[in-house]
Amino acid sequence: MREFTTSAKTAQAAGDGKKLPDVTFKLDTVEMVCRAPKDAQLAYLMAAASSSRTDADQVAAVLDFFEQTLDPASLVVFRRRLLNTTDSFDFADAMGIFEYVCEEWSGRPTGSGSAS
């Protein structure tokens, strides 16, 4: 039987300065934290955000990603605001946050750069 061990790998990742940082941002007045994804989450994100995916698949992938990377307190605020029918926070706002977080992790803007 093959055995898989993750604890040593995790310790190595924490020791080498290349781990992605947690990203903090404010949603109105509430400080939120998006935890650094592990490699598998990042790969899932890239596949899900592919232009060959349907809009519905992309929306589901982004929401799944937030479910897995927002710290628990941030996730509570995110869900409450997104699902509140009287709150103006909507999916377009969530996508803006998503793009910002991706820019922070990649070190480059996600847009086309032709907004001049």
Side-chain angles (χ1 to χ4, degrees), residues 1 19 21 29 33-34 43 49 54-55 78 81 95 97 112:
M1 176 185 301
K19 184 178 184 292
T29 60
V33 178
C34 194
T54 66
D55 288 346
F78 181 83
R81 297 230 21 220
M95 280 301 296
I97 294 168
S112 67

Side-chain angles (χ1 to χ4, degrees), residues 25-97:
F25 59 93
K26 280 195 174 181
L27 178 54
D28 296 323
T29 60
V30 179
E31 187 166 314
M32 311 274 280
V33 178
C34 194
R35 298 177 310 229
K38 62 183 188 177
D39 289 346
Q41 288 172 309
L42 211 48
Y44 173 80
L45 170 65
M46 294 305 157
S50 164
S51 61
S52 65
R53 294 287 183 116
T54 66
D55 288 346
D57 284 346
Q58 289 180 5
V59 167
V62 168
L63 293 176
D64 285 347
F65 187 74
F66 276 127
E67 289 276 328
Q68 299 304 314
T69 58
L70 287 174
D71 76 330
S74 299
L75 182 58
V76 168
V77 172
F78 181 83
R79 278 187 193 147
R80 179 178 39 87
R81 297 230 21 220
L82 195 60
L83 298 175
N84 182 337
T85 58
T86 63
D87 192 322
S88 63
F89 180 70
D90 208 350
F91 188 71
D93 302 306
M95 280 301 296
I97 294 168

